[in-house]
Amino acid sequence: MARTGQPRLEELSPRAAAAAVRRQLDATDLRAFVRSSPARLIAIGLLLVGLCAIAGAVTASAVGSRQEALDHLLNQSEPDANSAQHLYTSLSVADAAAGTAFISGGLEPKQLRDRYDQALGEASAELVTQSSSTGAADPDGRLRSRIATGLPVYAGLVETARANNREGHPVGAAYLSEASNLMQTRLLPTARELQENRSAAILDTQRSHVRPPWAAIVLPIVALSALVVAQLYLARRWHRMLNPGLLLASATLLALLSWTVIAGSLSALSTMRGRDDGSVPTADLTEGRILVQQARTAETLKLVRRDASGDYDHTYDASTAKLTRLLTDYPGHAPGAEDVATARGALDRWREAHRRMNDTLGRGDFLGAGAVAIGPGAGEATASVDALDTALADGIAKTRHTLRANVSEAARALDVLAPGALVLSLLAAVFVLAGLWPRLREYR
């Protein structure tokens, strides 16, 4: 008996089956489905789930990037900047110590020789540290190379000056002047540029961190707004005032947004404190230490060259005047303020000793002027310079500790926020599906 009716799809060839399906899927039916409530519910669900997922992913990415930047600052940028600062000051101390030792004449005292050797050794060690902490693509490599090649030349000139000084040859002063000129015109400016580059890297990270993560704030707001609109639509369409799933999703996104804003604000505040009470004061006090050594170098070279032109006095006066302004303008609430007060007193005593040295030298008493400049007395220049340099070094240690403590606090404020954002966004997506599923089941 022959079969009647339409053949089943599995009985048709693939091409014939596809044609049959196309005939069955009437375009009018498709348009009707698109306009239907189930289709709208599915579209709303996909949109809300996508917004929740994107908001969580963007927030986690932004927070992760910020934590990575803070970790890099704490573990590499700040130590590099401190090393560059130490290199800069060590070179300055070495130059000032070389001049101080030269004034003593003959075989210089062991204490002065040790101070020079220690400063030169520390500068060399910091060069090694700078080289090992950066990669092959380090943009400051040329600066380190310039210092590394110039430092042996400087040390050789100083040793030649000492050898001639011990033999009583006046040419020793010329060699020392040439060494100091190399230090002041080539090595120190290069070290200063290196130190400024390292410090700028810290400030750039801090400025970037202070800016709000707009994407991590705007996207959760957009997702939250979409949830509110969806709930209003569902309430109007199905005459139900509340959708528990969408309410829970909204509360979850609101919690994520609040967490992001609060944690980000706390992190930014800690970063600003680290900048204002750490980076900026550290840069000021570092500049102060350099000015001290510049002034000390000018003071000793004046005696070495027995200069009467006033050039070295001009350098001394300019350096100490700038140092005075720096210490006077230092904020009283900033870390190291007590050390700065100690430094101001030491600077006053040093300027008085310098005045006495010039008066003594003006009377033609070179030995007496030298005694004032490098003598061991508490009222002489050496003691005042040492006290001044020590006070500034102590202040730098305190501001650096403040910087690192605030950076660590800024990073801790963002702890677990990145994985938390992913978890909360996933929960919000689950709540969206849970809220819409009962409505879809009504159309089975």
Side-chain angles (χ1 to χ4, degrees):
M1 181 175 180
R3 290 182 299 178
T4 61
Q6 296 293 331
R8 291 181 297 180
L9 291 177
E10 59 268 21
E11 297 175 347
L12 301 174
S13 67
R15 179 175 297 179
V21 170
R22 285 196 296 270
R23 286 194 298 270
Q24 293 175 8
L25 292 177
D26 186 84
T28 303
D29 294 337
L30 287 176
R31 287 194 296 269
F33 175 75
V34 169
R35 296 193 191 98
S36 67
S37 295
R40 292 178 181 179
L41 280 175
I42 292 173
I44 291 173
L46 291 176
L47 175 63
L48 294 178
V49 168
L51 286 174
C52 291
I54 292 173
V58 169
T59 300
S61 176
V63 172
S65 296
R66 287 181 168 235
Q67 281 196 302
E68 183 179 353
L70 289 173
D71 289 341
H72 185 271
L73 189 157
L74 191 64
N75 298 321
Q76 183 165 337
S77 297
E78 192 281 331
D80 283 349
N82 182 68
S83 175
Q85 175 264 126
H86 199 190
L87 169 63
Y88 190 9
T89 54
S90 295
L91 291 173
S92 298
V93 169
D95 196 37
T100 302
F102 191 92
I103 296 173
S104 61
L107 187 63
E108 61 269 15
K110 183 177 183 301
Q111 180 181 0
L112 296 178
R113 175 74 187 201
D114 289 345
R115 182 175 178 81
Y116 167 81
D117 290 339
Q118 180 182 357
L120 208 62
E122 289 175 352
S124 300
E126 295 301 343
L127 276 176
V128 174
T129 300
Q130 289 283 311
S131 300
S132 61
S133 65
T134 54
D138 177 27
D140 293 327
R142 62 177 181 82
L143 300 178
R144 291 185 284 101
S145 297
R146 190 181 304 170
I147 297 173
T149 56
L151 197 56
V153 178
Y154 169 81
L157 290 171
V158 171
E159 291 305 318
T160 303
R162 282 174 167 167
N164 282 278
N165 192 38
R166 284 193 293 268
E167 296 294 330
H169 300 156
V171 74
Y175 277 107
L176 185 65
S177 296
E178 181 64 21
S180 184
N181 182 67
L182 173 64
M183 177 66 76
Q184 297 297 328
T185 61
R186 180 179 175 185
L187 300 184
L188 283 180
T190 304
R192 182 186 186 92
E193 184 178 353
L194 178 63
Q195 188 260 339
E196 289 176 346
N197 290 348
R198 300 302 193 195
S199 297
I202 295 179
L203 293 175
D204 288 344
T205 300
Q206 291 173 323
R207 279 194 295 267
S208 176
H209 193 75
V210 168
R211 289 195 293 268
W214 291 116
I217 295 175
V218 171
L219 282 174
I221 292 177
V222 171
L224 188 59
S225 301
L227 281 167
V228 172
V229 172
Q231 290 175 80
L232 293 176
Y233 169 77
L234 293 177
R236 185 169 58 251
R237 176 67 179 79
W238 279 271
H239 306 292
R240 291 182 174 90
M241 294 303 296
L242 298 177
N243 185 297
L246 297 189
L247 284 176
L248 287 174
S250 300
T252 303
L253 280 183
L254 183 60
L256 172 59
L257 179 61
S258 301
W259 188 4
T260 301
V261 171
I262 293 173
S265 299
L266 292 175
S267 183
L269 287 173
S270 295
T271 301
M272 286 190 290
R273 285 196 299 269
R275 179 193 61 195
D276 297 338
D277 296 337
S279 301
V280 174
T282 297
D284 290 341
L285 295 181
T286 299
E287 178 66 17
R289 287 194 75 186
I290 303 307
L291 290 171
V292 170
Q293 302 307 325
Q294 287 177 348
R296 181 60 168 170
T297 298
E299 182 177 62
T300 54
L301 282 178
K302 177 179 180 177
L303 288 176
V304 170
R305 300 303 301 268
R306 304 194 183 191
D307 180 71
S309 66
D311 291 341
Y312 291 115
D313 279 334
H314 176 73
T315 301
Y316 176 90
D317 292 339
S319 297
T320 54
K322 188 174 181 180
L323 177 61
T324 300
R325 289 194 299 271
L326 187 150
L327 297 179
T328 302
D329 296 340
Y330 193 84
H333 65 276
E338 294 181 358
D339 299 299
V340 170
T342 301
R344 284 199 297 266
L347 177 58
D348 291 339
R349 294 193 298 273
W350 182 22
R351 297 180 90 165
E352 172 59 26
H354 183 78
R355 184 192 61 78
R356 288 191 287 108
M357 183 199 80
N358 278 342
D359 291 343
T360 305
L361 190 61
R363 295 193 297 270
D365 185 0
F366 176 78
L367 294 179
V372 174
I374 64 172
E380 310 300 358
T382 297
S384 300
V385 171
D386 290 344
L388 177 54
D389 184 70
T390 299
L392 293 175
D394 291 342
I396 289 173
K398 292 176 182 177
T399 55
R400 186 193 180 201
H401 174 76
T402 300
L403 168 61
R404 294 185 61 82
N406 279 282
V407 171
S408 297
E409 186 176 339
R412 284 196 301 271
L414 301 178
D415 278 350
V416 307
L417 177 54
L422 294 176
V423 171
L424 289 178
S425 63
L426 178 61
L427 281 176
V430 170
F431 288 142
V432 167
L433 296 176
L436 295 181
W437 179 245
R439 302 287 77 80
L440 284 171
R441 292 183 61 187
E442 296 174 0
Y443 295 92
R444 288 190 305 173

